[in-house]
Amino acid sequence: MSKIQREITITKETTLHIAAGANKEEFVKQLLIKMKEDKLEALNTKGNTALCYAAATGNVNIAELMLNQNKDLANVGSVKPLFMAALLGHADMVNFLSPRTNITEWDITEQVQLFVTYASVGMYAVSGIGVVIRDPEGQVMVAQCLKEQAMWKALEMLKENSTVATFENKDNETALHVLATKPLAFDSGSQPGILRRCINSWRTIKQDQNSKQTEAHQLVKNICAHAYKDDVENCRVNEEISHVLFVAAKVGNVEFLIEVIRTDVDLIWKMDTQGRTIFHIAVEERHENIFNILVNEIGSIKDILLDITTKDGNNMLHLAAKLAPEHKLNAISGAALQMQQELLWFKEVQKVVRPSFKEMKNKEEQTPNVLFAKQHEGLRKDGEKWMRKAATSSMIIATLIGGIMFIGQLIFSGQPADGVNHSSDKSNLVRVFSYASAITLFSSSTSAIMFLSILTSRYSYDDFLVLLPNMLLIGVTSLFISIATMMVAFSASFYLKYPNHHGFTLIGLFACLPILYGLLKYRLLYDIVRSTYCSSSLFQSHQRLLY
């Protein structure tokens, strides 16, 4: 081997390996000028070529330089450059290497590994490489195509060899299993965020039912239509499809479930090893989109599915009585609001089950209400502690504000410090001060009363659903109003006292700081409104998803 292209590491990496891995385009170009074609095929101890390193960096220019000198380099090595580029999500590199790689000559294990990788990283069938921008609620806003050349990935492989969809990769996963675990891959706007749901519950929004489906939807359709076609047509049970259904239900991948169920509606009857359908799993995992399909879209079949009990003797209400998964609770701020969401779920499921199920006992001799109380006692105590802490600190502030404004109203004379009568401005400012003081006094008193009511509450489970959150909402809102009007009253009194003071504008700006700080930092008001008045829309079906 020449001195230029020699092994320089203990893993037998050559100069070209290192240069390509370091993304040194100009240095690679100079190396290639002095190298022979066969020297580019040098492998390290893991069987990787320098092109594989270039694929890992995503630099298409380096890869093009190498392939111009050795057109077969894309098919050399134990780890193919195309697979490396796909694994690391370099779409440009994958688009460049795909037509230069003989995938059909790979063994089936390598093909399956590549196919599952495409599904995992999201390279389904992209007409160009897109830039996707989403709003805070996850809705797709802009998708700008940057290249015109079609980049067929997983769908192209599936079309050429449908068996790649049924084989497992080295991690014992099929492409269908990988897709089932990726709810975000199917985000097409049919699962709006909680704020958008709240808005949609007050305002009817017509959506285009003929919008283009995502590549992930198309891939699932093709896998079910081609790879599992014989099983569907001959009504045979396929354990792979049954298994991925439960995986998708556990992670809340509702659109994946819809695509699979549309190929075979009998799949809604499948039960896992614990005797749970996908809807029972959805209730236990707190996925409202899947639960809404049961309630609103499958008609009388709903009643039969609701009658199913698990091997532990739990009906669907028992599953709703269990404590939600930790990641679901952590998405809600404050133990009291977490308790409110748990009660809301329990009440919604209670509406749809048979009346006899409310008193039905499982194998541990527990009714749903008993199980709910047992599972949520710790959360109830945490909610009580959280409520008391918030109410105590807020009540102290409200009391101080009310006391200060009451005293200020009594001692304020309205006379300027310089003794000059500024009658043209005085009457209006005195009126502003009086109104602001009165509003401050009334709102701070209301706030203090609400927080006192919270402190003396009995903290039963039902109190957390409506009563306590509403009292907290009124208390916090009144406190914000009292702070704002107190600063207005202060600014008016300052100007009345010092009418010729040049720093009045600066004082007014400083007076706004407590208000801005409260609005920006104190998210309690927002969380209460969202949890109390928007959460009910979670269980309202805004559009039909299944049919």
Side-chain angles (χ1 to χ4, degrees):
M1 185 175 289
S2 66
K3 293 183 179 180
I4 294 177
Q5 175 69 340
R6 67 179 188 275
E7 298 171 358
I8 58 176
T9 68
I10 59 174
T11 55
K12 295 187 177 181
E13 290 168 327
T14 65
T15 309
L16 189 61
H17 279 91
I18 301 301
N23 204 13
K24 300 296 183 180
E25 186 176 328
E26 186 60 31
F27 188 53
V28 170
K29 186 176 181 180
Q30 295 302 320
L31 282 175
L32 292 174
I33 293 175
K34 300 181 179 181
M35 288 176 59
K36 295 181 179 179
E37 177 181 320
D38 60 330
K39 298 299 183 182
L40 273 68
E41 298 183 4
L43 305 175
N44 65 4
T45 55
K46 295 184 178 180
N48 298 333
T49 63
L51 180 59
C52 191
Y53 279 54
T57 66
N59 192 322
V60 176
N61 293 332
I62 292 178
E64 188 173 11
L65 289 170
M66 294 182 182
L67 286 172
N68 286 341
Q69 193 157 330
N70 187 335
K71 291 181 170 44
D72 295 327
L73 195 58
N75 300 295
V76 177
S78 59
V79 178
K80 302 298 189 293
L82 177 60
F83 174 75
M84 180 63 72
L87 186 65
L88 297 178
H90 296 310
D92 279 335
M93 183 65 75
V94 171
N95 195 36
F96 174 75
L97 291 174
S98 291
R100 296 165 176 80
T101 305
N102 298 323
I103 300 176
T104 54
E105 295 182 3
W106 295 8
D107 62 48
I108 189 63
T109 302
E110 290 179 310
Q111 291 187 47
V112 170
Q113 195 73 16
L114 179 63
F115 182 71
V116 175
T117 300
Y118 280 156
S120 178
V121 300
M123 294 182 184
Y124 311 119
V126 187
S127 296
I129 302 170
V131 174
V132 177
I133 303 175
R134 299 177 184 274
D135 67 11
E137 288 298 315
Q139 306 304 304
V140 177
M141 296 170 60
V142 180
Q144 180 182 6
C145 183
L146 300 180
K147 289 191 176 181
E148 294 180 356
Q149 182 182 2
M151 184 174 67
W152 295 97
K153 298 295 166 279
L155 281 175
E156 185 181 64
M157 289 190 67
L158 185 65
K159 184 178 179 180
E160 293 178 356
N161 183 8
S162 63
T163 59
V164 294
T166 59
F167 282 89
E168 295 179 343
N169 65 0
K170 294 178 180 179
D171 298 322
N172 298 320
E173 294 177 330
T174 64
L176 206 58
H177 181 275
V178 169
L179 289 168
T181 63
K182 295 184 174 296
L184 293 179
F186 295 83
D187 183 17
S188 62
S190 64
Q191 303 178 66
I194 186 168
L195 287 179
R196 195 172 298 274
R197 288 192 188 100
C198 183
I199 294 171
N200 291 351
S201 66
W202 300 328
R203 179 181 174 188
T204 302
I205 296 179
K206 294 183 179 180
Q207 299 182 354
D208 183 6
Q209 299 298 326
N210 298 319
S211 61
K212 183 182 178 182
Q213 292 179 317
T214 65
E215 289 79 16
H217 287 82
Q218 194 66 30
L219 181 57
V220 173
K221 278 185 177 181
N222 278 266
I223 290 175
C224 293
H226 298 293
Y228 299 101
K229 182 178 179 181
D230 292 339
D231 294 320
V232 174
E233 290 181 349
N234 297 303
C235 300
R236 290 198 299 263
V237 176
N238 187 287
E239 295 300 329
E240 167 62 19
I241 294 182
S242 298
H243 174 66
V244 297
L245 276 177
F246 305 133
V247 172
K250 187 174 180 64
V251 299
N253 196 344
V254 61
E255 296 196 26
F256 176 90
L257 287 171
I258 290 167
E259 293 297 345
V260 176
I261 291 172
R262 281 174 178 169
T263 64
D264 184 5
V265 73
D266 287 337
L267 290 171
I268 63 175
W269 299 103
K270 301 301 180 185
M271 290 183 283
D272 65 2
T273 55
Q274 300 178 41
R276 302 175 302 174
T277 67
I278 57 174
F279 303 110
H280 289 75
I281 296 173
V283 169
E284 192 168 0
E285 298 292 330
R286 304 297 193 265
H287 297 305
E288 64 279 350
N289 286 322
I290 302 174
F291 177 71
N292 287 338
I293 294 175
L294 170 69
V295 175
N296 302 308
E297 298 193 32
I298 60 176
S300 58
I301 298 176
K302 171 187 72 175
D303 298 324
I304 303 174
L305 289 168
L306 287 170
D307 284 345
I308 294 175
T309 57
T310 68
K311 293 183 177 180
D312 295 329
N314 292 320
N315 60 44
M316 193 171 285
L317 192 57
H318 280 102
L319 299 179
K322 292 184 177 182
L323 191 65
E326 187 175 354
H327 70 276
K328 281 289 185 178
L329 291 176
N330 290 338
I332 305 167
S333 60
L337 299 183
Q338 292 172 0
M339 189 71 220
Q340 183 189 44
Q341 288 296 302
E342 288 292 271
L343 283 163
L344 182 63
W345 259 100
F346 188 74
K347 297 294 184 183
E348 288 295 327
V349 176
Q350 195 175 51
K351 292 177 184 177
V352 298
V353 299
R354 284 192 296 163
S356 60
F357 274 28
K358 299 174 185 177
E359 300 300 326
M360 179 180 175
K361 294 183 178 181
N362 59 15
K363 290 187 177 180
E364 296 181 359
E365 295 297 315
Q366 294 175 328
T367 65
N369 283 296
V370 170
L371 181 60
F372 185 91
K374 181 179 179 180
Q375 291 264 322
H376 292 83
E377 179 59 24
L379 186 60
R380 188 198 67 78
K381 290 180 178 179
D382 290 341
E384 179 180 351
K385 187 185 299 183
W386 184 84
M387 276 288 214
R388 287 185 181 277
K389 184 178 179 180
T392 300
S393 57
S394 300
M395 189 173 71
I396 292 172
I397 298 172
T399 304
L400 287 173
I401 292 173
I404 290 170
M405 293 310 299
F406 182 77
I407 296 172
Q409 183 68 28
L410 291 177
I411 66 175
F412 178 68
S413 63
Q415 295 297 323
D418 56 8
V420 180
N421 184 15
H422 303 269
S423 58
S424 58
D425 298 327
K426 180 179 177 182
S427 60
N428 289 333
L429 286 173
V430 169
R431 190 178 294 112
V432 169
F433 174 80
S434 299
Y435 289 161
S437 298
I439 294 172
T440 302
L441 186 60
F442 294 147
S443 58
S444 61
S445 300
T446 301
S447 179
I449 291 172
M450 288 297 104
F451 292 130
L452 182 62
S453 300
I454 290 174
L455 291 174
T456 57
S457 175
R458 59 198 179 103
Y459 292 97
S460 67
Y461 286 104
D462 288 338
D463 288 345
F464 284 93
L465 189 60
V466 176
L467 180 62
L468 287 173
N470 277 330
M471 287 195 296
L472 188 59
L473 177 61
I474 295 171
V476 172
T477 304
S478 300
L479 183 59
F480 280 156
I481 293 172
S482 67
I483 293 173
T485 52
M486 178 183 68
M487 301 315 297
V488 171
F490 168 77
S491 300
S493 65
F494 182 87
Y495 187 74
L496 283 168
K497 192 73 173 176
Y498 305 102
N500 296 321
H501 199 283
H502 297 294
F504 177 72
T505 303
L506 185 62
I507 295 297
L509 291 174
F510 276 113
C512 294
L513 289 179
I515 304 172
L516 293 175
Y517 180 82
L519 292 176
L520 293 174
K521 296 293 185 180
Y522 200 40
R523 288 194 54 185
L524 182 59
L525 182 62
Y526 165 77
D527 290 333
I528 298 169
V529 171
R530 184 185 66 172
S531 181
T532 304
Y533 297 107
C534 298
S535 294
S536 58
S537 66
L538 293 173
F539 300 97
Q540 297 174 8
S541 181
H542 304 295
Q543 65 181 78
R544 296 186 71 85
L545 300 176
L546 189 56
Y547 302 115

